Amino acid sequence: MEQKDTKKIVSGYEEHSVWKSIVLHLLPGIMGGILYFATVHFVREQGFPSVSALILAGALVVTPIELGILLYQSRKRNQKLFDGVLAYLQPLPFWQYFVWVTIIIISSGLIITLFKPVTDYLRGMFDWLPNEMILDMGLSGEYSKTVLIVT
């Protein structure tokens, strides 16, 4: 008996399973988290805030994984990366950049302010983590201006 291909094609793109979607969304973050926790102690010993370890994880793990997935898809489909795998590449009208950037900054500030109690509650759930593992942006005054510029 011939097996039918059950993959759905939506707007020229192959729809994938829920599990594949979960893996594609979580894998880069999990791998970045592993590198963060593996390097945060070393980064702090060098006199940098822990956010430096997060930046390293993003640059050395998360970005290459995501770019690798995109390049794999472009080769698999035999398409260009831009205008092939990546869709929606039309630029906005110039004036909309000012409008959307303003809206995003204001709404982000409001959301951060409104969800502060939730953030504080969730932070309490991670009290078991050693202090050096908790993300430190370096704005407490203990780091020199040079260290923060490098970060």
Side-chain angles (χ1 to χ4, degrees):
M1 232 178 163
E2 190 177 317
Q3 188 177 14
K4 289 185 177 179
D5 189 12
T6 58
K7 293 182 181 177
K8 219 165 129 181
I9 305 293
V10 179
S11 300
Y13 293 95
E14 181 183 303
E15 185 178 286
H16 46 72
S17 71
V18 172
W19 289 110
K20 185 174 181 179
S21 184
I22 289 170
V23 168
L24 288 173
H25 281 79
L26 295 181
L27 181 67
I30 290 169
M31 298 305 289
I34 290 169
L35 184 65
Y36 169 78
F37 285 112
T39 60
V40 70
H41 181 71
F42 174 76
V43 165
R44 283 184 167 266
E45 280 182 345
Q46 300 307 310
F48 289 93
S50 62
V51 73
S52 299
L54 188 62
I55 293 168
L56 285 173
L60 299 176
V61 174
V62 177
T63 301
I65 288 174
E66 291 177 354
L67 285 175
I69 291 169
L70 291 173
L71 290 171
Y72 171 76
Q73 287 299 318
S74 71
R75 289 196 176 134
K76 180 180 169 186
R77 295 182 188 172
N78 200 21
Q79 293 177 323
K80 294 180 184 175
L81 183 59
F82 297 103
D83 281 337
V85 175
L86 297 175
Y88 310 111
L89 295 174
Q90 285 70 30
L92 292 173
F94 188 72
W95 64 270
Q96 283 190 15
Y97 286 101
F98 293 107
V99 171
W100 287 112
V101 167
T102 304
I103 289 171
I104 290 168
I105 289 172
I106 291 171
S107 61
S108 296
L110 287 172
I111 290 168
I112 288 169
T113 303
L114 291 173
F115 281 92
K116 185 159 179 16
V118 176
T119 302
D120 292 341
Y121 172 75
L122 291 174
R123 185 173 288 136
M125 294 175 67
F126 292 94
D127 283 343
W128 55 272
L129 275 173
N131 280 339
E132 73 174 18
M133 295 291 180
I134 303 218
L135 186 63
D136 173 20
M137 300 301 285
L139 303 176
S140 61
E142 67 182 281
Y143 299 101
S144 70
K145 189 174 183 177
T146 306
V147 165
L148 293 178
I149 289 171
V150 170
T151 300

